[in-house]
């Protein structure tokens, strides 16, 4: 395939979008297959429920796990092959010392980087599980700590310093093919999965879905330190959590509205769309960071926020019911 990775531009508000989905959208655009973020987020399932990873110490990053769980389905729906790349051994100072002294990589690293280099030379798209955001590999270097990459806007420096491409222990090699699922079948599959994940039945153990993030956030409102690891600055972590909630809700609306254009108005779209719109209206009240930061020390403000988190949890379950009804109607429509 033509090497177009240099054109990859990952776009979107990094506090609202899912970085794996955003990187995949950038790859599809580089392949001259433009597709909206909301559409890919819906197919991936991340549009229908925020994720909660309570093993993450900083609450600002609660929402960064699990988004690649549907990559095989995405490949069938959007048209690309998926080759998973993993490595158990960490890229650490010991490995760097050996490499610097001998010019040779320790065994597991030699195999890993050779595989990535071969994929790069072939022109594969390479998505890497860097931290705190996914990245697309865009260039190679003999200095493995200086591999070039694209990630969500404004996160280049933090990814490079915390967990850059050399440290990534999970990645995917992608190449374009024709989709193996007809569009309406892909839509039906996305709705079935979306109804389950919206209810809380997610694809990965150890991660919370459905109302889990909303109830966890509400439980933190009694303490002004929303994030124990950040202490007094936890309001920024709370605000980022809210913005990821809002991004999820808006993506659900965007996906469902586009799906209605594809499948027609005969299906019961209205309730699901209206419910996610109601959720976005609640979350959207807190968008302004300066106002949020100013009001955060007020316990009454946090009490209001707690009530809104509980309201969002209730609406999330209503959205799950609406998606289940919509999914059933879509399946029946396809069998007629």
């Amino acid at each position: 395939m033509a090497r177009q990775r240099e054109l990859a531009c990952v776009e979107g508000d990094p506090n609202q979008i899912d970085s794996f989905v955003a990187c995949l959208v950038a790859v599809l655009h580089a392949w001259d297959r433009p597709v909206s973020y909301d559409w890919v987020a819906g197919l991936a399932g991340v549009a229908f429920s925020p994720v909660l990873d309570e093993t993450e110490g900083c609450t600002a990053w609660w929402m960064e796990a699990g988004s690649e769980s549907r990559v095989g389905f995405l490949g069938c729906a959007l048209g690309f092959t998926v080759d998973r790349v993993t490595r158990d051994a960490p890229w650490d100072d010991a490995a760097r010392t050996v490499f610097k002294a001998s010019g040779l990589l320790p065994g597991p690293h030699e195999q890993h980087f050779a595989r990535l280099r071969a994929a790069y030379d072939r022109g594969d798209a390479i998505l890497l599980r860097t931290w705190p955001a996914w990245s697309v590999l865009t260039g190679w270097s003999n200095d493995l700590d200086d591999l070039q990459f694209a990630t969500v806007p404004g996160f280049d420096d933090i990814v490079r310093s915390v967990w850059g491409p050399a440290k990534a222990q999970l990645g995917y090699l992608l190449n374009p093919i024709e989709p193996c699922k007809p569009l309406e079948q892909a839509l039906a599959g996305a709705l079935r999965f979306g109804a389950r994940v919206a209810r809380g039945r997610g694809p990965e153990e150890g991660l919370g879905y459905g109302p889990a993030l909303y109830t966890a956030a509400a439980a933190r409102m009694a303490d002004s330190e929303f994030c124990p690891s950040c202490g007094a600055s936890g309001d920024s972590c709370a605000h980022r959590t809210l913005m990821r909630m809002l991004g999820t809700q808006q993506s659900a609306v965007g996906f469902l509205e586009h799906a209605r254009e594809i499948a027609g108005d005969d299906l019961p779209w209205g309730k699901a769309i209206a419910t996610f719109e109601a959720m976005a209206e609640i979350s959207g009240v807190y968008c302004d960071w300066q106002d949020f930061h100013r009001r955060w020390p007020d316990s009454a403000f946090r009490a209001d926020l707690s009530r809104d988190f509980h309201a969002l949890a209730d609406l999330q379950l209503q959205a799950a019911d609406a998606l289940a009804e919509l999914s059933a109607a879509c399946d029946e429509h396809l069998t007629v």
Side-chain angles (χ1 to χ4, degrees):
M1 75 180 222
R3 177 169 294 165
Q4 294 181 301
R5 66 170 64 82
E6 291 83 359
L7 304 178
C9 179
V10 185
E11 298 179 339
D13 183 338
N15 293 320
Q16 288 191 262
I17 60 174
D18 177 89
S19 62
F20 177 81
V21 172
C23 286
L24 182 53
V25 169
V27 166
L28 291 164
H29 278 250
W31 289 341
D32 198 25
R33 294 185 176 186
V35 63
S36 74
Y37 171 89
D38 290 346
W39 184 249
V40 180
L43 293 176
V46 302
F48 302 115
S49 166
V51 66
L52 171 64
D53 181 5
E54 290 191 286
T55 66
E56 176 54 52
C58 176
T59 57
W61 312 118
W62 264 350
M63 303 75 60
E64 304 305 320
S67 53
E68 77 280 10
S69 62
R70 295 270 283 174
V71 66
F73 176 83
L74 291 169
C76 287
L78 296 167
F80 55 84
T81 60
V82 178
D83 192 5
R84 192 169 188 262
V85 178
T86 61
R87 168 184 48 160
D88 291 332
W91 178 246
D92 54 15
D93 288 342
R96 290 187 185 92
T97 299
V98 171
F99 184 44
K100 185 176 181 180
S102 66
L104 300 174
L105 287 163
H109 298 294
E110 180 181 20
Q111 298 167 19
H112 175 78
F113 285 114
R115 189 176 180 189
L116 290 185
R117 180 58 191 267
Y120 176 83
D121 289 340
R122 287 195 305 267
D124 296 7
I126 303 172
L127 268 61
L128 295 174
R129 184 54 167 126
T130 50
W131 184 259
W134 283 79
S135 298
V136 183
L137 190 68
T138 59
W140 199 266
S141 171
N142 290 330
D143 180 355
L144 297 175
D145 285 308
D146 195 35
L147 297 176
Q148 299 165 36
F149 64 95
T151 188
V152 293
F155 273 40
D156 302 68
D157 289 343
I158 189 173
V159 166
R160 187 177 290 107
S161 63
V162 175
W163 202 264
K167 288 187 175 182
Q169 292 177 251
L170 170 65
Y172 295 97
L173 314 179
L174 312 179
N175 278 288
I177 57 173
E178 289 301 311
C180 58
K181 280 186 180 293
L183 184 58
E184 285 199 346
Q185 286 186 13
L187 170 57
L191 290 174
R192 283 193 297 272
F193 180 77
R196 294 196 300 271
V197 78
R199 174 62 58 181
R201 298 190 291 271
E204 294 190 28
E205 294 184 5
L207 299 178
Y209 294 89
L213 181 64
Y214 301 117
T215 55
R220 297 292 180 99
M221 287 299 99
D223 188 343
S224 62
E225 292 188 357
F226 181 83
C227 179
S229 67
C230 295
S233 62
D235 58 341
S236 64
C237 301
H239 192 258
R240 187 172 194 274
T241 300
L242 271 158
M243 292 302 94
R244 283 300 303 271
M245 292 172 178
L246 177 61
T248 299
Q249 296 149 8
Q250 291 174 332
S251 289
V253 173
F255 176 84
L256 291 169
E257 288 182 338
H258 184 49
R260 179 166 57 185
E261 294 175 1
I262 293 170
D265 290 329
D266 292 340
L267 300 178
W269 304 99
K271 184 178 178 181
I273 292 174
T275 305
F276 281 114
E277 285 178 335
M279 295 173 74
E281 185 175 351
I282 293 172
S283 302
V285 170
Y286 301 99
C287 274
D288 186 270
W289 160 242
Q290 293 301 328
D291 181 64
F292 188 90
H293 177 64
R294 177 181 60 82
R295 299 179 66 191
W296 178 256
D298 183 356
S299 60
F301 172 72
R302 295 198 307 277
D304 288 342
L305 187 53
S306 179
R307 284 192 292 272
D308 281 343
F309 281 136
H310 284 298
L312 288 168
D314 291 341
L315 285 167
Q316 176 70 35
L317 295 178
Q318 293 177 38
D321 290 340
L323 286 169
E325 179 185 354
L326 179 57
S327 173
C330 185
D331 286 342
E332 182 178 351
H333 174 73
L334 287 177
T335 59
V336 173

